[in-house]
Amino acid sequence: MDKKNALRAGALAAGTTLMMLLMTSPALALTRDDGDDPGTGLSVIDTLGLFVAAPLLLFAVIAGLVMVLDKSDKNLGQKRS
């Protein structure tokens, strides 16, 4: 990719990012809608459990199941007799 195309791609990416940032104003989140009934906020422990511990636990379970149920040949480097 030559410099002209790289510059064009960079300008397009920067312009797209800028437009997305301008269109999604955080101030819009402060206005309440009719019928809006937010619940109580999450505590720090709840937040860490929900967004850190649960994904790590799910990853560990999936990785464990993949390792336990792996049916591939364990002796890949050795010849069969």
Side-chain angles (χ1 to χ4, degrees), residues 42-54:
L42 294 175
S43 69
V44 174
I45 299 299
D46 291 337
T47 304
L48 290 176
L50 186 62
F51 295 108
V52 176

Side-chain angles (χ1 to χ4, degrees), residues 10-25:
L12 180 66
T16 303
T17 304
L18 180 64
M19 288 304 296
M20 287 176 60
L21 286 173
L22 290 174
M23 298 300 262
T24 58
S25 174

